[in-house]
Amino acid sequence: MQPGFSVETLELFFLGFCSVRSTMEHAQEPEASLEQTQRYCVERPIYNQELLQGWLHKRERTPQTLRQKIARSCRCSSKKAKSHLYSFLPILKWLPRYPVKEYLLGDIISGISTGVMQLPQGLAYALLAAVPPVFGLYSSFYPVFLYTFFGTSKHISIGTFAVISMMVGGVAVRQVPDEIISVGYNSTNVTDSLEYYHPTEAKRVQVAVTLAFLSGIIQLCLGLLRFGFVAIYLTEPLVRGFTTAAAVHVFTSQLKYLLGIKTNRYSGPLSVVYSIGAVLSKITTTNIASLIVGLICIVLLLIGKEINVRFKKKLPVPIPMEIIVVIIGTGVSAGMNLNESYRVDVVGNIPQGLRAPAVPEIQLIPEIFVDAIAIAIVGFSMAVSMAKIFALKHGYTIDGNQELIALGICNSVGSFFQSFSITCSMSRSLVQESTGGKTQIAGALSSVMVLLVIVAIGYLFEPLPQTVLAAIVMVNLKGMFKQFGDVVHFWRTSKIELAIWVVAFVASLFLGLDYGLLTAVAFAMITVIYRTQSPQYRILGQIPDTDIYCDVEEYEEVKEYPGMKIFQANASLYFANSESYTSALKKKTGVDPCAILAARRKAQKRHAREIKAANELRKQAVLKLVNSLTNDVEASVKHEIANDELPVNGKFASVDTSVQDVSPDEHEHFVEPKTNIHSLILDFTPVNFVDSVGAKTLKSIIKEYKEVGICVCIASCSGPVMNELTRLNFFDNTVTRELLFHSIHDAVLACQVKDGSASQTD
Amino acid sequence: MQPGFSVETLELFFLGFCSVRSTMEHAQEPEASLEQTQRYCVERPIYNQELLQGWLHKRERTPQTLRQKIARSCRCSSKKAKSHLYSFLPILKWLPRYPVKEYLLGDIISGISTGVMQLPQGLAYALLAAVPPVFGLYSSFYPVFLYTFFGTSKHISIGTFAVISMMVGGVAVRQVPDEIISVGYNSTNVTDSLEYYHPTEAKRVQVAVTLAFLSGIIQLCLGLLRFGFVAIYLTEPLVRGFTTAAAVHVFTSQLKYLLGIKTNRYSGPLSVVYSIGAVLSKITTTNIASLIVGLICIVLLLIGKEINVRFKKKLPVPIPMEIIVVIIGTGVSAGMNLNESYRVDVVGNIPQGLRAPAVPEIQLIPEIFVDAIAIAIVGFSMAVSMAKIFALKHGYTIDGNQELIALGICNSVGSFFQSFSITCSMSRSLVQESTGGKTQIAGALSSVMVLLVIVAIGYLFEPLPQTVLAAIVMVNLKGMFKQFGDVVHFWRTSKIELAIWVVAFVASLFLGLDYGLLTAVAFAMITVIYRTQSPQYRILGQIPDTDIYCDVEEYEEVKEYPGMKIFQANASLYFANSESYTSALKKKTGVDPCAILAARRKAQKRHAREIKAANELRKQAVLKLVNSLTNDVEASVKHEIANDELPVNGKFASVDTSVQDVSPDEHEHFVEPKTNIHSLILDFTPVNFVDSVGAKTLKSIIKEYKEVGICVCIASCSGPVMNELTRLNFFDNTVTRELLFHSIHDAVLACQVKDGSASQTD
């Protein structure tokens, strides 16, 4: 793979400046010519930007005029229309080419496997979303079916998802707290079709449905505006911290169902604490029957999971343990009449058939807007990250914006049919893919299965104990709880990412999922600022006989040139770090022009005082002379001279100006304590942008150091940064492009040449 | 200044790879030897990081143990104690060395000039702060006097300032609206000393005083925690936009005083709109006498300002026009009895003497906490930016953290004596410096002048019309209104900074100064994210015969190497841009491994189908043969062979694996459409940090391209980034340090060598 030069070639080192000798030796050894082609040889003039730009010719670009651009984008062709239609309705593209023989069997198996998971998960996550279970079934049908037409991912399973359901439930409970069951309820608001639910439940359904509508509309808008990139802000540690916190939320909210305790459900900041507190305070009222049924289910589910993982390759399809548990649970509950005999809470009323569409409650929108944004973005980022994994694995591409549009349509259209917010579920997607699902057909089949249950046999699940659903939810959290291991991982790899994880977790846990997410995103942004704002400052030195410059503190071989300091900060120069850049420069190089100037000023003052004292003496002497030679013309002239040299008392400023007239010899004297540094090279390699504050800082650095006789050069300034500097009026008479060098080595050579010629002229 | 090589040397170009020839020619020309020293010559092996790090020796650093660090920082010496004392009480350092003869006269003149400005500004800005005028005088005395002891800047004039006063007024009005004059007022809360004020005013004084206390404590804490850097987030365009909006706020709030209209004062979002609306709706009630007096004052003040600017050099001290206007205004008002004859509002009750100290209202703190933070930070950043300008001009240094402590003490201690929040005023500071002020003595003298007025002749200003104060405030806004010109300036220099200015202005104007400032700071942060998140992506090419690589689209001379693409993004690689990095890489280089793989897969499938069809044919032929040669051993063997070659129907995955066994010749065929690119070099020069998402992206890029036979190299990866990549487990068997090259040129040479050897072996 690598070029074939060996370590021995390293020994053939040449001085960069005496290539004459070395290459002449090479010429005498013909066998070295092959090696020669594998070496790095450069000989060229020393370039500063002035020189380089004078030599190069700007390529003439004919930028498209705005009119041309508009004309181009507005041009309509049948091909363009077709491609737009295809991208909006991907089903038109893949369905006609569907290879029935090859794909159908896999899709059917996969669809059934996924469908039997949709069913129990739909019922269980409805509990999380604080709505009656049947709405979980609706949410597992309409959106899933719609996704078949609009989605671009062939393998993800759309439907109810724990985190999103939890967020929906949080909002529903916040808007309709348990306390206002009878007081704050306005019966006229509820549509007739919800009449056989408890008023609180009916109202919560409305909140959940409106939330789905709003988040769908937000996703749709983001997709149409091509804003799919918003998901990039949800970086991996953030999402993992957030979902871990969500898992804790979900777990605590399910505790009461598992234990069969009746407590209020909490939402908002510290709701986890309140939930646990409420459960603990009522722990004595635990329903033992519920707990036993729940624990048995948990054990069964865990065993099922373990078998599915361990015998993955041997099983044709994974064991659908969830539906088995639901069926057994329903059977046992009905047979033993758990509800009445043991007061075990059951799912209860599951109405048969679908509901007529209804318009969501528009007047709720202002109160749930922020939550809808959070749900829309979390939902999208979950779906798209899963879709990307499968797309990469199976070698097709997905369109992030079309995914947003698809999810938006699923949510918003689904909301008219009383479904709540959905996204892709990780566990189901993995099953759908691993059981041989090839296209969106599998998802459609799973939704049809749910439909059959809704219209035909839904009522059979009425005796299902809630504790079974709680067990299903809890066992599904296993993967998320494993994410606690991230702390160790991030501790080793990156402290900043650990901080993002911890902030996302803690904020989401205690502030609630919505504000927690916002806080975490803000924090992730701040870490980026922090990285650019507190760079590492380093003094560079040369690796002898090369053009390579490294941190002097890192390697033994690295040497500094006498009289030169090369300074590097690994960040751009802008308002938030320009001040620390200056102070680090002064500290690292050990040359502070302010201190030198102050010392010089002091020396000047002392000198001025000495002059003054000398003058006083001289004046007195002169006056004596004048007195002794009264009325002599010569004497008055001398007096005049003496007065001229006398500084005006009380106005010290004039001393400063007068000092500028002192002889060069005396001036040199003031410059002490003089440093032996003659050049300062600022490595601008890591600088990607400069703002006006940065440009001003740079200018003042150059001027300050110039005042104390140190030349500041800038090395490796990139093209865009140079354009920025030009626009910011950085270059003028004192700061020219001649101070900008193409590389550190160019700058070093130029400074050496200059210093050499300066010392020659001395 | 510059190295003396001429443009002609540029013509002496050599091929980088035949330095033997060129330098031999040089050896024949002895006169070229001088020129030689001014050229850039490098010859060395091609370095990748593996090689380089193998050769270099890490310098052994003995890091200080935590214990040593603690011991060191805890070590106490008299010198250390002295330096801490000096830094906390700078007066101890400068006062004993005060050169009385040289400095005192200047300080006295400057102190008086500043003092006569403190007086009218104190009265006027009290109006802005929504408190009775005398509290403006208190604020011009206590904090100013305290600053003498704690401040490090010798030239800034501490005291009332328009923007801060406006912010204080906003909070005071929000907490005590005009409407609740009689209703919401709880008389027991007000200290006795405030009893002769209107209840609303007394309550507002308490709010203002508590705000000063809280902002002072915040400043003190920030200073003690060495958090002086917080001011860096207030970048220049932000501050200018913010102060311009503040000027508009101040102007609208003073309109009613100028016109003599009685309206409520508004605060919070849209208060500017409400204020203007209120004034316009009552414009018919304008008090003509007030307006005339106000306009005359404005004209006088503007003339005075103009004279001061124009004859700056000729005037020994600036004309104190403000105090002149106040004196004339008071005289005219008293003489003509403006208050009673023309119903002109006057300053009214100015109690003589100082007040006993009182504890601020602690219970108000939670309601005004955010405002206090905003005031603390704005106040500090105003003071420190002004102090820095003077320090630079006069060659001394200021200590940002000590300035924070000083301001904190001024505000918090002052608040016990009923002063409101203060900072440095630009106009007064300029006067203090230009009239010859040398040290903090000048400020102390100005405060003593204010004290004299308070204890002796304050009551004389009671007939002063409020319109005169409004005129003073308005004329002082002139400089801030001039900042509207920034829009043009920033339009030319930087669109991003223009955006910051506009956002700061609009947000501060309409959301109020506190939330406006927060919004603007958040926006300024986002611009930094934006800069790192949407970099410029470029393909680089070589300037022939050099090691310099530039944007191929920029210069005519730049050439690309055949078979290689050099890609650069001028930003770090992290979560927010890694996705766009990948897509830009694919787009810019024109090589999309996914598309190639998909095409290959298709070709494989087609090929597999062809094999299958051929096999079917062959099988039929064989079977025919078998049928014709029944019970022949040879035939059954042939059948076996035919079955072996037959792909298993319905399980397509096996075809994929079987294809891997096809001959290299056939495999080559699938790789089409093959690109002629063999190497991709990612220039990492601008990359300053990498996070886990970035590292994963990079790894998947390398692997994806490897699958389609393209080698990805990374050039110019800096030391810190390499350490980060190592920590993130970036390097493994496939991704080694040998893919990292020291520079682009190293990578190019290595890729050429490899391609050359690869084509030789073909």
Side-chain angles (χ1 to χ4, degrees), chain A residues 597-609 611 647-648 650-662 667 670, chain B residues 102-103 393-395 438:
Chain A
L597 273 185
R600 191 192 286 185
R601 229 169 272 231
K602 227 175 184 175
Q604 281 177 346
K605 250 182 224 172
R606 203 186 315 118
H607 189 76
R609 239 178 263 147
I611 292 178
V648 184
K651 283 215 171 182
F652 225 82
S654 58
V655 174
D656 278 344
T657 55
S658 73
V659 167
Q660 288 173 2
D661 302 330
V662 296
H667 197 82
F670 298 148
Chain B
E102 289 166 23
Y103 281 5
K393 190 172 170 189
H394 292 275
K438 297 282 181 217

Side-chain angles (χ1 to χ4, degrees), chain A residues 1-3 5 10 13-14 16 19-20 22-24 27 36-48 51 53 55-59 61 102 232-233 235-236 388 392 394 492-493 497 524-525 528-529 531-533 536 538 543 546-548 552-558 570-571 574-576 579 601 605 650 652 685-686 688-693 696 704 720 724 727-728 738 741-743 745-746 749-750 753-754, chain B residues 1-3 5 9-10 13-14 16 19-20 22-24 27 36-48 51 53 55-59 61 102-103 232-233 235-236 388 392 394 492-493 497 524-525 528-529 531-533 536 538 543 546-548 552-558 570-571 574-576 579 601 652 685-686 688-693 696 704 720 724 727-728 738 741-743 745-746 749-750 753-754:
Chain A
M1 286 294 289
Q2 281 302 308
F5 51 85
L10 283 170
F13 261 359
F14 308 97
S19 61
V20 177
S22 60
T23 46
M24 274 177 72
Q36 183 74 11
T37 61
Q38 295 178 6
R39 291 181 66 79
Y40 179 106
C41 308
V42 170
E43 204 201 345
R44 58 171 174 81
I46 300 166
Y47 280 128
N48 62 35
L51 219 62
Q53 298 222 326
W55 176 61
L56 293 170
H57 298 91
K58 280 249 175 204
R59 200 183 283 267
R61 282 188 249 188
E102 290 167 22
I232 57 175
Y233 295 114
T235 175
E236 203 192 331
K388 266 185 196 156
L392 204 67
H394 292 275
R492 280 204 211 106
T493 57
E497 300 198 340
M525 304 274 128
V528 178
I529 304 273
R531 294 214 206 218
T532 62
Q533 180 195 320
Q536 293 168 1
R538 308 187 295 170
I543 297 178
T546 67
D547 57 342
I548 303 175
V552 284
E553 286 170 19
E554 198 166 3
Y555 298 109
E556 285 177 12
E557 285 82 0
V558 177
N570 65 342
Y574 72 106
F575 65 84
E579 208 164 300
R601 229 169 272 231
K605 250 182 224 172
F652 225 82
T685 313
N688 296 323
F689 62 87
V690 166
D691 71 351
S692 66
V693 177
K696 273 183 198 161
E704 274 182 45
E724 262 173 354
R727 263 205 308 282
L728 292 165
E738 287 178 357
F741 289 89
H742 168 258
S743 73
H745 200 53
D746 283 282
L749 296 182
V753 168
K754 209 177 59 184
Chain B
M1 287 294 290
Q2 279 305 308
F5 51 86
T9 60
L10 283 171
F13 262 359
F14 309 96
S19 61
V20 177
S22 61
T23 47
M24 276 178 72
Q36 184 74 11
T37 61
Q38 297 177 6
R39 291 180 67 79
Y40 179 106
C41 306
V42 170
E43 207 201 341
R44 58 170 175 80
I46 301 167
Y47 279 129
N48 62 36
L51 219 62
Q53 299 221 329
W55 175 60
L56 293 171
H57 297 90
K58 282 248 177 205
R59 199 182 283 266
R61 282 187 250 188
E102 289 166 23
Y103 281 5
I232 58 175
Y233 295 114
T235 174
E236 202 193 330
K388 267 187 196 154
L392 204 67
H394 292 275
R492 281 204 210 104
T493 58
E497 301 198 340
M525 302 276 128
V528 179
I529 305 273
R531 293 212 207 220
T532 61
Q533 179 196 322
Q536 293 168 1
R538 308 186 296 170
I543 298 178
T546 68
D547 59 342
I548 303 175
V552 283
E553 285 170 18
E554 198 166 4
Y555 298 110
E556 286 178 12
E557 285 82 0
V558 177
N570 64 341
Y574 71 107
F575 66 84
E579 206 165 301
R601 226 169 273 232
F652 226 82
T685 314
N688 296 322
F689 63 88
V690 166
D691 71 351
S692 66
V693 177
K696 272 183 198 161
E704 275 183 43
E724 262 172 354
R727 263 205 308 282
L728 291 165
E738 286 177 359
F741 290 90
H742 168 259
S743 72
H745 200 54
D746 283 282
L749 296 183
V753 169
K754 207 177 61 183

Side-chain angles (χ1 to χ4, degrees), chain B residues 11 50 126 135 171 264 281 328 379 426 472 514 582 640 693:
Chain B
E11 291 165 15
E50 188 77 36
F135 293 95
V171 180
N264 285 341
S281 70
I328 294 176
M426 293 187 206
I472 291 172
D514 40 5
T582 314
E640 206 75 12
V693 177

Side-chain angles (χ1 to χ4, degrees), chain A residues 255-277:
Chain A
L255 267 183
K256 66 170 187 175
Y257 295 111
L258 188 73
L259 301 174
I261 295 173
K262 282 184 184 53
T263 68
N264 285 340
R265 184 163 163 181
Y266 297 89
S267 73
L270 295 181
S271 60
V272 167
V273 179
Y274 294 137
S275 291
I276 293 176

Side-chain angles (χ1 to χ4, degrees), chain A residues 536 538 570 686, chain B residues 572-573 684-691 695 698 714 716-728 730-731 740:
Chain A
Q536 293 168 1
R538 308 187 295 170
N570 65 342
Chain B
S572 297
L573 190 64
F684 258 42
T685 314
V687 174
N688 296 322
F689 63 88
V690 166
D691 71 351
L698 201 58
I714 296 169
S716 311
C717 187
S718 74
V721 172
M722 214 161 62
N723 294 342
E724 262 172 354
L725 286 176
T726 311
R727 263 205 308 282
L728 291 165
F730 176 70
F731 299 106
L740 267 64

